[in-house]
């Protein structure tokens, strides 16, 4: 199995069985995201413990890329500090817009590296980044729905 197939399998797996799906009742930090280009919708709730993301859940409906991205993101940021999560977000955006050569250290990305091929399909970049923009909005406490437009 080459790397491309492995990445594809990872995305399909997270789409079929999304991790951290649902809503945190004690959340406190939440936001909605909408990608009108594809119709993806996501709702993210986050529980913070100081500046650490103690828990995160998401729900919504969307294409395989948006669902898998929200699922893999939730695993990637859980237990991370806000600074670490912001760094991952920046690296992820760099990966999907500029390609794997542009990121600081591909090892930092872990499973997020599965989205490396998304950059070839500009419309899909919005599907892949929707959950991240929504997480950022939730952490800032913004009430409005985030759109990718
Ligand atoms: Zn989509």
């Amino acid at each position: 199995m080459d790397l491309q197939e492995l990445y594809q399998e990872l995305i399909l797996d997270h789409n079929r069985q999304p991790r951290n799906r649902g809503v945190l009742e004690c959340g406190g930090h939440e936001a909605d995201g909408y990608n009108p280009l594809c119709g993806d919708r996501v709702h993210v709730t986050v529980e913070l413990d100081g500046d650490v993301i103690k828990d995160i859940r998401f729900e919504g409906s969307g294409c395989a890329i948006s669902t898998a991205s929200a699922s893999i993101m939730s695993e990637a940021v859980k237990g991370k500090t806000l600074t670490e999560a912001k760094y991952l977000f920046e690296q992820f955006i760099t990966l999907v817009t500029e390609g794997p050569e542009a990121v600081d250290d591909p090892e930092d990305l872990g499973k997020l590296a599965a989205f490396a091929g998304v950059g070839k399909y500009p419309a899909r970049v919005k599907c892949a980044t929707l959950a991240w923009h929504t997480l950022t909005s939730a952490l800032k406490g913004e009430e409005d729905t985030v759109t990718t437009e």
Side-chain angles (χ1 to χ4, degrees):
M1 200 187 270
D2 69 14
L3 200 58
Q4 204 54 46
E5 285 174 56
L6 187 75
Y7 283 167
Q8 216 156 46
E9 194 47 50
L10 195 63
I11 289 172
L12 291 174
D13 175 51
H14 277 263
N15 177 50
R16 276 193 302 261
Q17 292 180 289
R19 320 301 199 265
N20 302 306
R21 188 144 203 162
V23 179
L24 288 172
E25 296 306 332
C26 55
H29 297 270
E30 56 185 300
D32 289 297
Y34 177 48
N35 172 18
L37 205 67
C38 181
D40 308 314
R41 287 185 184 278
V42 68
H43 180 79
V44 173
T45 48
V46 186
E47 185 184 349
L48 290 178
D49 181 7
D51 70 341
V52 173
I53 297 175
K54 190 178 169 198
D55 209 353
I56 176 170
R57 294 277 191 285
F58 79 96
E59 61 175 8
S61 59
C63 66
I65 298 280
S66 71
T67 302
S69 176
S71 174
I72 294 175
M73 174 191 81
S74 70
E75 283 193 329
V77 301
K78 201 190 259 194
K80 297 280 198 301
T81 66
L82 295 177
T83 309
E84 289 167 338
K86 185 164 175 271
Y87 175 74
L88 276 180
F89 178 38
E90 288 165 358
Q91 292 299 299
F92 183 70
I93 293 277
T94 302
L95 174 76
V96 296
T97 56
E98 296 170 45
E101 314 76 31
V103 302
D104 289 349
D105 182 355
E107 289 205 2
D108 290 344
L109 286 165
K111 287 181 186 171
L112 296 170
F115 295 90
V118 167
K120 281 181 244 155
Y121 313 95
R124 290 290 172 200
V125 169
K126 294 183 174 178
C127 302
T129 56
L130 178 66
W132 286 93
H133 287 299
T134 310
L135 170 65
T136 303
S137 176
L139 293 172
K140 284 186 188 157
E142 292 167 354
E143 306 256 313
D144 293 341
T145 298
V146 190
T147 78
T148 52
E149 293 303 298

